Amino acid sequence: MTSSTTKLMSGNEAIARGAYEAGVIVGTAYPGTPSTEILEQLSRFPGLRAHWAPNEKVALEVGIGASLAGARVLVAMKHVGVNVAADPLMTLSYTGVGGGLLLVSADDPGMHSSQNEQDNRHYARLAKIPLLEPSDSQEARDFVIAGLELSERFDTPVLLRTTTRISHSRSLVKTGVRNEIDRKGFQKDPAKYVMIPGYARRRRPLVEKRLAGLRREAERSPLNRTEGEGTARGFICSGITYQYVKEALPGERILKLGFSYPLPEKMIRDFAATVKEIIVVEELDPFLEEQIRALLPGVPVTGKQLFPAIGELSVNLIRRGTAGEGSVASGDPPETTELPARPPLLCPGCPHRGVFYVLRKLKLTVPGDIGCYTLGALPPLKALHTCICMGSGIGIAVGMERADPAAAASTVAVIGDSTFFHSGITPLVDLVYSGSRTTVLILDNRTTAMTGHQDHPGTGVTLQGATRPPIDIEALCRAVGVRRVFTADPLQLRELESLIKKELTAGEPSVIIAQRPCVLLGRTPSAPLRIDAQKCRDCGLCLALGCPALSRFGDCASIDPLLCNGCGLCSQVCRHGAIGATIPEEGDSN
Amino acid sequence: MTAIKKTDLLIAGVGGQGTLLTGKIIAAAAQEEGYDVKTSETHGMAQRGGSVVIHVRIADRVCAPLVPKGEADFLLAFEKLEALRFLPWLSPEGMVVVNCQEIKPLPVLIGVSTYPEGVAGRLRARSRRVIPVDAAQMEPVRRHPRTANVLLLGILARQLGLPQESWRRAISRSLPPHHHRINQEAFDAGWSFQPARQ
Ligand SMILES: Cc1ncc(C[n+]2csc(CCOP(=O)(O)OP(=O)(O)O)c2C)c(N)n1
């Protein structure tokens, strides 16, 4: 039976499809743009067990367990997630796998939705494992299948690296059918799986041997190929840049590397022998360029002299970089536009807004974390002062207090609920153990809102909608030794403010759980509020909430009834009693 | 397969306006006709009222998923400020279909910036073919405000050269069944829209 069909798929859908066809039975991930849809898509296929792990390290460890138990496994995360999972990854390289294990790293050049743009191809080199870089959705599907085979043949985890333009672009994909794989089961083999120094030293040379074998494989792999004509110059591309070069310079000679670590050295030398000059086109770091230059002494090799190392490349940047006008290494000039920006916002009715309003009013120092609530850093709230990585806020608050013990009275760490389960518990343990007194605010909106509302251990709901015992954050905080734990409603400003003030001077650690579900979770909204123009003094206090439903209209504030969902924050903030419930118009039946 | 030449377009809007869905419908219609098609999205921020843009490229063979700046044949904008923001992508011969809606971004709401004036004029200064549409005032959208994007798509679709039947199939493939009828109505209203003579 052949049932090949062609479908328009995003790179992420295609990765999930490839995993399904390759017989993957376990999928794990922690959400993170641009990787999130991979697991969401995977969970829709029959015969697969997919679940959200609390963080990327656990996701990979679960993946390792499933692989050792003989299953084919896909583990997905955004680029910075690999930092969290790097510890198991480095040693997994030594142990090797059972069933094939593919780790997808979705990188984000240009930082469309990330805190940095690290180039995760370096991880392949660091871990000495193969690296695959698809250039469209079809390759995303194909490379997943090829990668899982490679993983089993060479007893290695495989890194598949996408970028935002691969993960979030749609293109046509020819699909096939699922190939069920017989699962062998865990083979006890301490010398392979127990990495004590004595055993690890014995595995170490095998890693080098495997790398040499992979290099030979890269020479033969259909994922690497040459095309085009011409002897003047040859382009070496990986990932999306292949598409940019093909469009900018049709017909040019290209060595396309889909299997880009370890490098097919002979193939590159042979390619270089047919052209006068090599131009390496890659986004972010000169990862290929530096290796290729070392490989080809005497051959002119350029790359980052022509194209920026910062942000994404584009067809236009390739055209300009190769037009002989010299370097465009600084990238596209930043948009010089006088147009007002349209940044993402805390939604009308967002429970985070109340918290940041109070924190700003109290002029506190607020080490923060990553999630929707990071938007509390932007004007007009401007009440979040650090954001480094997930889980960092509490540790930073502890550090500020270590540096200046008086800081505890004016510092509050904020962290979201999903982020708390991801990596906030250990620093809370440190807060108690280090004898700190800082107050922690857990912004519990009952979801992972930022990445599109995934459930997490605190909601107890799984990716498939099953229910598990939800973790009680209050009890958990008490269990690690915090005695002062309170739950408050972030939309009751006065109560929240007095609670925070009290806890700042409590002389011991406190946790305040600001709990109210994300407004996008489908709760029925309250009726919109309205402003009484007679009473409004145009003082602008309500506008300081940064609510999209509120604006200045003439010499009075006004509420957009289509956006307002009646959260009531503005009426609490107004000192003139000008904001209240809508008076139903005559004939208005609701 | 109808013969259209290579077509590049941008769909610009504000999170929540149905930009992603519109891109999906266009891609599905092109696929119905046997073209190669690629789209590129920026989500992440889509739900929180940020600006959203989708690139759609249709041809016999498409390479890059992004339309190079200055090369878009069409700009479909669901909001006026977003039309201006993505105008640099339009080719000199390109056409703009722009919704007359204004959604004030935060800097305007809190009074640190002002909403640009004379948007239509600025669009016309760059393109001879600008179709401004007050979608909210058109019949099917008055009843179903969320179909504005599909009505505007109908207006654009008329210019793209793909047969009406492919659009019908694309709409039913891209939307859940209980939304088919109202969206098809909105699409048809756009398809038969007569732009005012300028
Ligand atoms: C290591 C790592 N993994 C994933 C992400 C992507 N990410 C950013 S914030 C976030 C979680 C936000 O959820 P929560 O803490 O509940 O805050 P909310 O958005 O709901 O306010 C995720 C998954 C990241 N930035 N870093």
Side-chain angles (χ1 to χ4, degrees):
Chain A
M1 190 181 81
T2 62
S3 52
S4 161
T5 53
T6 303
K7 281 196 193 126
L8 194 64
M9 289 186 180
S10 70
N12 283 349
E13 281 174 78
I15 287 169
R17 177 74 210 184
Y20 166 73
E21 290 180 28
V24 160
I25 56 178
V26 174
T28 59
Y30 180 73
T33 315
S35 72
T36 311
E37 302 81 13
I38 297 171
L39 198 74
E40 289 175 338
Q41 292 291 334
L42 201 63
S43 73
R44 297 191 184 145
F45 289 110
L48 259 150
R49 287 181 285 280
H51 83 272
W52 292 125
N55 69 27
E56 292 85 354
K57 177 173 184 288
V58 177
L60 181 55
E61 288 157 350
V62 171
I64 293 172
S67 161
L68 298 191
R72 280 196 167 182
V73 178
L74 182 119
V75 183
M77 54 197 62
K78 72 180 285 162
H79 61 334
V80 288
V82 182
N83 302 334
V84 179
D87 199 1
L89 179 63
M90 292 303 135
T91 305
L92 176 63
S93 170
Y94 286 29
T95 64
V97 300
L101 187 148
L102 190 86
L103 173 61
V104 181
S105 167
D107 290 13
D108 189 17
M111 294 174 272
H112 296 280
S113 32
S114 306
Q115 65 268 36
N116 75 28
E117 62 171 5
Q118 65 186 53
D119 186 336
N120 272 10
R121 295 178 300 169
H122 295 292
Y123 270 116
R125 204 173 176 192
L126 189 59
K128 299 171 186 284
I129 60 175
L131 171 66
L132 308 182
E133 294 185 79
S135 75
D136 61 15
S137 298
Q138 180 70 59
E139 288 188 350
R141 171 212 169 257
D142 298 349
F143 287 16
V144 168
I145 298 170
L148 284 159
E149 279 163 12
L150 207 58
S151 170
E152 287 174 2
R153 265 181 56 215
F154 287 87
D155 194 13
T156 178
V158 171
L159 185 65
L160 182 122
R161 183 236 195 188
T162 72
T163 53
T164 298
R165 293 302 168 197
I166 300 297
S167 279
H168 285 172
S169 291
R170 290 171 197 280
S171 57
L172 297 172
V173 179
K174 268 206 187 65
T175 61
V177 292
R178 178 163 167 95
N179 179 13
E180 293 291 351
I181 305 290
D182 284 335
R183 192 175 64 82
K184 286 189 299 291
F186 180 51
Q187 316 286 320
K188 288 180 188 156
D189 184 354
K192 185 169 190 294
Y193 297 124
V194 182
M195 286 302 95
I196 51 176
Y199 291 154
R201 279 195 289 268
R202 277 197 247 157
R203 295 293 304 173
R204 179 69 187 85
L206 298 179
V207 172
E208 295 302 321
K209 210 173 135 207
R210 182 181 70 200
L211 205 54
L214 284 164
R215 204 178 292 287
R216 284 192 295 277
E217 180 66 18
E219 306 278 2
R220 283 195 299 266
S221 170
L223 275 52
N224 296 332
R225 60 163 200 265
T226 55
E227 58 182 62
E229 318 261 322
T231 54
R233 54 189 186 180
F235 291 86
I236 300 183
C237 311
S238 71
I240 191 70
T241 63
Y242 164 72
Q243 306 288 357
Y244 296 155
V245 171
K246 264 186 88 76
E247 176 160 340
L249 307 160
E252 289 265 1
R253 196 135 162 79
I254 299 177
L255 169 57
K256 177 189 184 307
L257 297 177
F259 183 166
S260 47
Y261 188 82
L263 284 181
E265 295 180 352
K266 180 171 178 308
M267 196 178 202
I268 291 171
R269 280 200 206 92
D270 292 348
F271 180 72
T274 66
V275 293
K276 294 198 187 65
E277 182 197 8
I278 294 285
I279 302 177
V280 183
V281 191
E282 55 191 326
E283 284 179 329
L284 302 179
D285 297 342
F287 176 78
L288 300 172
E289 184 184 343
E290 285 173 356
Q291 295 179 71
I292 289 169
R293 185 170 295 123
L295 201 65
L296 300 173
V299 178
V301 175
T302 55
K304 291 298 158 189
Q305 288 145 276
L306 305 178
F307 314 110
I310 297 173
E312 298 186 278
L313 297 186
S314 66
V315 170
N316 281 339
L317 282 171
I318 309 286
R319 285 184 187 137
R320 278 165 41 205
T322 52
E325 295 160 13
S327 161
V328 286
S330 57
D332 274 326
E335 295 294 310
T336 45
T337 161
E338 78 310 3
L339 297 176
R342 194 185 295 278
L345 310 163
L346 293 177
C347 305
C350 175
H352 298 329
R353 181 173 285 106
V355 171
F356 288 109
Y357 185 82
V358 171
L359 296 178
R360 177 182 159 99
K361 186 173 170 201
L362 298 177
K363 300 195 172 65
L364 299 177
T365 299
V366 183
D369 234 297
I370 310 195
C372 284
Y373 52 95
T374 315
L375 295 170
L378 300 181
L381 290 164
K382 291 209 279 195
L384 180 140
H385 309 112
T386 71
C387 167
I388 305 287
C389 67
M390 285 188 75
S392 61
I394 298 177
I396 288 172
V398 170
M400 286 179 169
E401 186 182 343
R402 300 302 283 174
D404 170 15
S410 57
T411 305
V412 169
V414 300
I415 182 166
D417 48 344
S418 186
T419 304
F420 181 67
F421 292 114
H422 178 279
S423 47
I425 300 169
T426 349
L428 187 66
V429 168
D430 189 48
L431 191 139
V432 174
Y433 185 54
S434 63
S436 306
R437 294 160 299 156
T438 296
T439 301
V440 174
L441 261 164
I442 301 177
L443 308 186
D444 182 10
N445 61 354
R446 315 301 300 152
T447 187
T448 318
M450 185 87 220
T451 46
H453 298 96
Q454 293 77 24
D455 277 288
H456 58 61
T459 70
V461 179
T462 71
L463 185 51
Q464 288 77 12
T467 51
R468 311 272 187 255
I471 294 181
D472 179 342
I473 299 181
E474 227 180 84
L476 193 150
C477 294
R478 287 187 206 285
V480 304
V482 182
R483 291 182 300 181
R484 302 183 66 84
V485 184
F486 305 89
T487 296
D489 182 349
L491 294 188
Q492 296 300 324
L493 294 180
R494 220 157 285 132
E495 289 79 356
L496 184 67
E497 181 179 333
S498 57
L499 181 60
I500 293 174
K501 274 186 177 150
K502 185 158 85 247
E503 293 316 304
L504 283 171
T505 53
E508 64 175 84
S510 319
V511 171
I512 300 172
I513 303 161
Q515 193 179 69
R516 185 173 267 269
C518 169
V519 59
L520 297 180
L521 284 180
R523 193 174 51 96
T524 32
S526 308
L529 302 188
R530 63 183 273 284
I531 294 184
D532 184 338
Q534 306 293 304
K535 293 188 186 158
C536 176
R537 306 277 179 81
D538 193 24
C539 67
L541 265 184
C542 59
L543 297 179
L545 284 164
C547 175
L550 277 161
S551 61
R552 184 168 268 128
F553 185 73
D555 53 5
C556 172
S558 107
I559 293 177
D560 182 340
L562 292 178
L563 291 177
C564 176
N565 50 41
C567 78
L569 280 187
C570 55
S571 70
Q572 295 175 49
V573 164
C574 180
R575 294 206 183 126
H576 310 290
I579 308 182
T582 312
I583 302 159
E585 282 174 33
E586 236 174 292
D588 196 345
S589 55
N590 4 320
Chain B
M1 171 160 141
T2 50
I4 63 169
K5 58 178 185 32
K6 176 171 149 18
T7 302
D8 286 337
L9 52 105
L10 248 66
I11 313 164
V14 176
Q17 286 192 306
T19 324
L20 288 174
L21 173 68
T22 309
K24 269 193 193 165
I25 298 174
I26 299 174
Q31 197 200 345
E32 286 282 340
E33 285 300 302
Y35 287 100
D36 190 14
V37 58
K38 285 188 181 174
T39 71
S40 191
E41 309 165 353
T42 40
H43 352 148
M45 300 299 162
Q47 237 174 352
R48 270 151 290 274
S51 74
V52 181
V53 65
I54 313 288
H55 295 234
V56 183
R57 313 193 74 189
I58 304 168
D60 292 335
R61 166 130 168 64
V62 182
C63 294
L66 291 174
V67 179
K69 220 181 229 181
E71 294 185 18
D73 304 296
F74 298 94
L75 169 60
L76 172 61
F78 296 149
E79 201 273 348
K80 280 166 37 181
L81 170 57
E82 296 312 309
L84 276 188
R85 197 185 309 285
F86 292 99
L87 197 57
W89 266 263
L90 197 69
S91 92
E93 297 78 41
M95 171 190 273
V96 184
V97 176
V98 56
N99 191 12
C100 294
Q101 192 179 6
E102 275 185 19
I103 302 176
K104 293 180 189 143
L106 192 67
V108 173
L109 291 176
I110 63 177
V112 299
S113 185
T114 52
Y115 197 93
E117 305 266 332
V119 173
R122 288 166 72 176
L123 295 174
R124 286 209 184 87
R126 163 102 187 186
S127 162
R128 280 180 294 113
R129 301 194 295 158
V130 178
I131 307 183
V133 188
D134 196 353
Q137 293 310 313
M138 293 185 54
E139 196 32 56
V141 178
R142 272 163 60 169
R143 276 179 286 124
H144 303 287
R146 298 190 62 88
T147 61
N149 61 328
V150 177
L151 181 138
L152 291 154
L153 170 63
I155 298 172
L156 174 86
R158 196 66 191 257
Q159 312 291 331
L160 286 185
L162 300 172
Q164 202 171 1
E165 187 46 37
S166 297
W167 290 103
R168 196 178 301 279
R169 281 199 300 269
I171 288 171
S172 54
R173 266 173 56 193
S174 311
L175 283 155
H178 60 288
H179 288 157
H180 286 176
R181 196 180 49 79
I182 56 168
N183 279 286
Q184 191 59 54
E185 259 178 64
F187 181 88
D188 292 344
W191 184 270
S192 47
F193 175 79
Q194 298 289 334
R197 291 253 157 253
Q198 294 156 20

